[in-house]
Amino acid sequence: MFDGPFDVFALIIAIIAFLIAIKASSQAAELRRRLSSLEEMFYAQRTVQPPPLMPAQVVEAEAPATTPAEPPPLAPEAEAAPPPLVTEAVSPPPLEASTEADAPPPLPAPAADSREPGFEERLGTRWVVWIGGLALALGGFFMVRYSIEAGLVGPGVRVFLGGLFAAALLGAGEWSRRKESISNIAALPIANIPAILTAAGTAVAFATIYAAYALYGFLVPATAFVLLGIVAMGTLAAALLHGPALAGLGVVGAFVTPILVSSGKPDYWALYIYLAIVTAASFGLARIRLWRWLAVTTIAFAVLWIFPGLDTSELQVAPHAFHVIAGFVLAALLVVCGFMFGPTIEDGEIEPVSSSSLGAYLFGAMLIVLSSAHADLALIAFTLLVGATLFVAWRAPSATGALGAAAATVFIVFAEWAVRANPDMLVLPGGPMPGVGPVATDSSVTLHLVMAAIFAAGFGLAGFFAQGRSNSAIIPVVWSAAAVATPIAILVALYARIAHLDRSIPFAILAVLLAAAFGAATEALTRRETRPGAMISTALFATGTLGALALALTFALEKGWLTIALALMSLGTAWISMQRPIPFLRWLAAVFAAIVTARIGYDPRIVGDAVGTTPIFNWLLWGYGLPAASFWAASMFLRRRGDDAPLRMVETAAILFTALLAFMEIRHLATGGRMTAAPSLLEFALQVCVALAMAIGLERLRLRSGSIVHNVGAVVLTAIAGLVSVFGLLILENPLIWSVNVGGAVFNLLLLGYALPAVLMLLLSYAVVGQRGKVYANTIAGGALLFALAYVTLEIRRFYHGPILATGPTTGAEQYTYSIGWLAFGVLLLGVGILVNSERARLASAAVIALTILKAFVIDMSTLTGVYRALSFMCLGIVLVAIGWLYQRILFRRQVAPPPAPQTSS
């Protein structure tokens, strides 16, 4: 059809010129109409009123008129006024003769009715029009159907009558439009009768051509395609006169036509040339009438037409590349505001349609690259569009938002390439292995490296030189964000693709060079005068410097250092926020903390199986300890500027990494480095002790900081300690239930798992007294009492049964020892309560003694015999009497009044 791409672009330019000419013609007609109305108003206002009658004239006026009245003479100012300039042959209305002196002045033009139409008005002026247009279209369809069912006419006559009916509707629509224009009837914008008639005629024309092709075979696919395209283009052209409803019908019909007319072997060149013509016409119409919805609809249909050809085994890259390039060029010429022929816009404003139009075609180019396995032609087309995006955004700030789409698509392309086969698999000793032969991706490694260099340099340099070119703050920030994020993302993708996430000194050197470039940009921007967005852009380049340095550490060291590097980036960003108080930097520090948290969620061991077997000094210490220290330091920096959401996120990360460091190190110690082994009594004991110790520390810290994170963290750690204590120490690993070796006589797991937690719970209960509710503090104190009593009981059991407590019978001496031990523990608590005047200790003593009494009457009486039963009750009685004496004599001693002095007689 066309000799080359130049003919196609010439046709597209011709269509654009035609649409611009139509717009200019319509604007000239509108100017002529307004000028005519202004002239009519001018002559109406200049109509001369008769002067007041003089006395002689009054007499003449009272006399009967015998001759026709002469028109009054023109006023002097009317005679002296120069004639107006007339651009058309428009004659002023003649002055009419008046027989009355008080002739009324001309009526002013009626004002536009701005009232809200009622139900009846809507029904009569809008709904019936819509229903009527639909009925006309359906009437044509039903008439054809009836003629088919009744056998009245043959297929050829049916098609002819359908075409005749479509022509009649189109003619009626044009006639009614001209009639309304002649009679000066203002058409309703929602229910325009000419537009409805034309739309109905267009629908019938579509149906008639499609029936002639698909039902009766009168037309070959090429002819049907051309006819349907002509109808669609004609509908778009008619929309200039009839409004947006017809434009919507035309654009839908134009993009649906290739679906209606299909052949066994699709011709993508013919398809995409046709779609380029339709897109140009639709964009031109949208530009002339300023219909944003039409441009968005066209872009959506154009991008959807990329998908049908992507899932084929023999992907034709060239026509698909032509489709996205042609659409991108047309969008840049006609849709992007402030660039070439696009609409005008205020300086410094990012316009959504302008940015999204370019982003949509970038998305299409990315799909072609991925579907073609990174074919060379697809990569070249994608590179051209990314470069064109930078150029358009440089010239037109309204399209700056497309930089985000460009950066995202670049990262996706390189990330997808990174997960494919590595370059070291391309050449194997002895030739390629079966099934591992080179593919399209493998042959384009050099092209990918060249593209990476072009993209990194293009985004970086453009982002730096774009600073200070706009009076808006958002424009330079978007440029700087793209300039920092894109090179770093490309470097990470190349590192994953080529170095396979292993140590690589060359990539570390590249990261250092990138950090130096970002540092130089930061220093240069710092020395410039203050412009909108300059501080945020400077902070972004400074953050890029830290990020590149962190990547250099990651590339030069082991894989686990990536976690540490990201944590150090959070610390560095927090420190920079102290120097440059920009809210964005605080959020960036929080984002880095969130990334590190997500990283450990993926692999809690940080380095997989390479944690090591050395207790404490292993990869867990570096992988969790350094990030924890970084987050604590970052939180201190951020707190100096206020308490906000970023600070709380960083504080949460600090508490989380500190707790995880302790828990993971405990697990590593208890399992001997086998992180997937089952838990043990030692692990549960250490975890409870550490959780309680951290809870005590946070309770003290929150009193000074007032941080809600420290407050919640203390409660969460206390709850974790309580859950592990109950389910771990008292149930899952209780030595009375399971065969657990508790160790030596005194220094054993019982001391670590029950005595030490009891002491820590007691300290925690005193730490929260007066700061939290009584129930909360008393619950913790009750837990301390429970674990202290459990320790006494288990130690007695250890004395009689050895390191394995769950085996062997319970003797009478053992039962007697339990009673004596509990009683002694209760007396000890009472003594402490008396010495320190603690009511809580005395109440705890009463609880233990009450439990001892209950044991004596329930267990000892039935199980003990002989001297043990007697001694048990005797000791219990002596202790109870002694306790009563202590309460009477010491705690609640009654004050006896002294006797009265004897009276002496004088």
Side-chain angles (χ1 to χ4, degrees), residues 255-267:
F255 280 101
V256 171
T257 294
I259 300 178
L260 299 178
V261 182
S262 60
S263 59
K265 185 178 181 180
D267 186 356

PDB file of all heavy atoms in Angstrom, residues 255-267:
ATOM      1  N   PHE A 255     -11.469   1.099  16.190  1.00  0.00           N
ATOM      2  CA  PHE A 255     -10.573   0.132  16.807  1.00  0.00           C
ATOM      3  C   PHE A 255     -11.175  -1.273  16.852  1.00  0.00           C
ATOM      4  O   PHE A 255     -10.434  -2.244  17.020  1.00  0.00           O
ATOM      5  CB  PHE A 255     -10.216   0.587  18.224  1.00  0.00           C
ATOM      6  CG  PHE A 255      -9.132   1.634  18.264  1.00  0.00           C
ATOM      7  CD1 PHE A 255      -9.447   2.977  18.435  1.00  0.00           C
ATOM      8  CD2 PHE A 255      -7.811   1.282  18.115  1.00  0.00           C
ATOM      9  CE1 PHE A 255      -8.461   3.942  18.470  1.00  0.00           C
ATOM     10  CE2 PHE A 255      -6.808   2.248  18.146  1.00  0.00           C
ATOM     11  CZ  PHE A 255      -7.131   3.576  18.319  1.00  0.00           C
ATOM     12  N   VAL A 256     -12.488  -1.381  16.712  1.00  0.00           N
ATOM     13  CA  VAL A 256     -13.110  -2.702  16.716  1.00  0.00           C
ATOM     14  C   VAL A 256     -13.128  -3.307  15.309  1.00  0.00           C
ATOM     15  O   VAL A 256     -13.243  -4.521  15.152  1.00  0.00           O
ATOM     16  CB  VAL A 256     -14.526  -2.614  17.314  1.00  0.00           C
ATOM     17  CG1 VAL A 256     -15.296  -3.905  17.137  1.00  0.00           C
ATOM     18  CG2 VAL A 256     -14.443  -2.263  18.790  1.00  0.00           C
ATOM     19  N   THR A 257     -12.994  -2.479  14.296  1.00  0.00           N
ATOM     20  CA  THR A 257     -13.054  -2.965  12.915  1.00  0.00           C
ATOM     21  C   THR A 257     -12.079  -4.108  12.629  1.00  0.00           C
ATOM     22  O   THR A 257     -12.457  -5.095  12.003  1.00  0.00           O
ATOM     23  CB  THR A 257     -12.803  -1.789  11.951  1.00  0.00           C
ATOM     24  OG1 THR A 257     -13.896  -0.867  12.064  1.00  0.00           O
ATOM     25  CG2 THR A 257     -12.700  -2.276  10.516  1.00  0.00           C
ATOM     26  N   PRO A 258     -10.808  -4.047  13.063  1.00  0.00           N
ATOM     27  CA  PRO A 258      -9.922  -5.187  12.790  1.00  0.00           C
ATOM     28  C   PRO A 258     -10.384  -6.493  13.422  1.00  0.00           C
ATOM     29  O   PRO A 258     -10.022  -7.567  12.942  1.00  0.00           O
ATOM     30  CB  PRO A 258      -8.580  -4.730  13.388  1.00  0.00           C
ATOM     31  CG  PRO A 258      -8.637  -3.244  13.368  1.00  0.00           C
ATOM     32  CD  PRO A 258     -10.059  -2.909  13.645  1.00  0.00           C
ATOM     33  N   ILE A 259     -11.167  -6.420  14.495  1.00  0.00           N
ATOM     34  CA  ILE A 259     -11.689  -7.653  15.095  1.00  0.00           C
ATOM     35  C   ILE A 259     -12.817  -8.217  14.244  1.00  0.00           C
ATOM     36  O   ILE A 259     -12.925  -9.435  14.051  1.00  0.00           O
ATOM     37  CB  ILE A 259     -12.173  -7.376  16.534  1.00  0.00           C
ATOM     38  CG1 ILE A 259     -11.016  -6.871  17.396  1.00  0.00           C
ATOM     39  CG2 ILE A 259     -12.775  -8.628  17.156  1.00  0.00           C
ATOM     40  CD1 ILE A 259     -11.424  -6.526  18.809  1.00  0.00           C
ATOM     41  N   LEU A 260     -13.657  -7.327  13.717  1.00  0.00           N
ATOM     42  CA  LEU A 260     -14.781  -7.789  12.908  1.00  0.00           C
ATOM     43  C   LEU A 260     -14.313  -8.400  11.590  1.00  0.00           C
ATOM     44  O   LEU A 260     -14.911  -9.349  11.092  1.00  0.00           O
ATOM     45  CB  LEU A 260     -15.725  -6.613  12.632  1.00  0.00           C
ATOM     46  CG  LEU A 260     -16.343  -5.947  13.876  1.00  0.00           C
ATOM     47  CD1 LEU A 260     -17.215  -4.769  13.454  1.00  0.00           C
ATOM     48  CD2 LEU A 260     -17.146  -6.946  14.682  1.00  0.00           C
ATOM     49  N   VAL A 261     -13.255  -7.831  11.034  1.00  0.00           N
ATOM     50  CA  VAL A 261     -12.750  -8.306   9.746  1.00  0.00           C
ATOM     51  C   VAL A 261     -11.385  -8.940   9.989  1.00  0.00           C
ATOM     52  O   VAL A 261     -10.403  -8.238  10.246  1.00  0.00           O
ATOM     53  CB  VAL A 261     -12.636  -7.159   8.727  1.00  0.00           C
ATOM     54  CG1 VAL A 261     -12.147  -7.685   7.396  1.00  0.00           C
ATOM     55  CG2 VAL A 261     -13.969  -6.456   8.583  1.00  0.00           C
ATOM     56  N   SER A 262     -11.330 -10.238   9.963  1.00  0.00           N
ATOM     57  CA  SER A 262     -10.090 -10.949  10.240  1.00  0.00           C
ATOM     58  C   SER A 262      -9.839 -11.980   9.154  1.00  0.00           C
ATOM     59  O   SER A 262     -10.764 -12.441   8.482  1.00  0.00           O
ATOM     60  CB  SER A 262     -10.158 -11.640  11.606  1.00  0.00           C
ATOM     61  OG  SER A 262     -11.223 -12.571  11.623  1.00  0.00           O
ATOM     62  N   SER A 263      -8.584 -12.330   8.996  1.00  0.00           N
ATOM     63  CA  SER A 263      -8.200 -13.328   8.016  1.00  0.00           C
ATOM     64  C   SER A 263      -7.399 -14.427   8.713  1.00  0.00           C
ATOM     65  O   SER A 263      -7.017 -14.295   9.878  1.00  0.00           O
ATOM     66  CB  SER A 263      -7.373 -12.694   6.892  1.00  0.00           C
ATOM     67  OG  SER A 263      -6.204 -12.093   7.436  1.00  0.00           O
ATOM     68  N   GLY A 264      -7.144 -15.511   7.992  1.00  0.00           N
ATOM     69  CA  GLY A 264      -6.425 -16.620   8.595  1.00  0.00           C
ATOM     70  C   GLY A 264      -5.012 -16.262   8.980  1.00  0.00           C
ATOM     71  O   GLY A 264      -4.501 -16.710  10.001  1.00  0.00           O
ATOM     72  N   LYS A 265      -4.333 -15.458   8.174  1.00  0.00           N
ATOM     73  CA  LYS A 265      -2.957 -15.051   8.449  1.00  0.00           C
ATOM     74  C   LYS A 265      -2.931 -13.543   8.643  1.00  0.00           C
ATOM     75  O   LYS A 265      -3.046 -12.773   7.696  1.00  0.00           O
ATOM     76  CB  LYS A 265      -2.044 -15.443   7.288  1.00  0.00           C
ATOM     77  CG  LYS A 265      -0.565 -15.161   7.569  1.00  0.00           C
ATOM     78  CD  LYS A 265       0.305 -15.618   6.409  1.00  0.00           C
ATOM     79  CE  LYS A 265       1.774 -15.346   6.717  1.00  0.00           C
ATOM     80  NZ  LYS A 265       2.652 -15.776   5.590  1.00  0.00           N
ATOM     81  N   PRO A 266      -2.799 -13.082   9.897  1.00  0.00           N
ATOM     82  CA  PRO A 266      -2.870 -11.641  10.135  1.00  0.00           C
ATOM     83  C   PRO A 266      -1.697 -10.903   9.525  1.00  0.00           C
ATOM     84  O   PRO A 266      -0.559 -11.379   9.543  1.00  0.00           O
ATOM     85  CB  PRO A 266      -2.855 -11.541  11.673  1.00  0.00           C
ATOM     86  CG  PRO A 266      -2.204 -12.800  12.132  1.00  0.00           C
ATOM     87  CD  PRO A 266      -2.573 -13.850  11.128  1.00  0.00           C
ATOM     88  N   ASP A 267      -1.979  -9.726   8.986  1.00  0.00           N
ATOM     89  CA  ASP A 267      -0.963  -8.841   8.424  1.00  0.00           C
ATOM     90  C   ASP A 267      -0.768  -7.686   9.401  1.00  0.00           C
ATOM     91  O   ASP A 267      -1.550  -6.720   9.418  1.00  0.00           O
ATOM     92  CB  ASP A 267      -1.413  -8.331   7.056  1.00  0.00           C
ATOM     93  CG  ASP A 267      -0.318  -7.518   6.371  1.00  0.00           C
ATOM     94  OD1 ASP A 267       0.739  -7.292   6.993  1.00  0.00           O
ATOM     95  OD2 ASP A 267      -0.527  -7.093   5.216  1.00  0.00           O
TER      96      ASP A 267
END
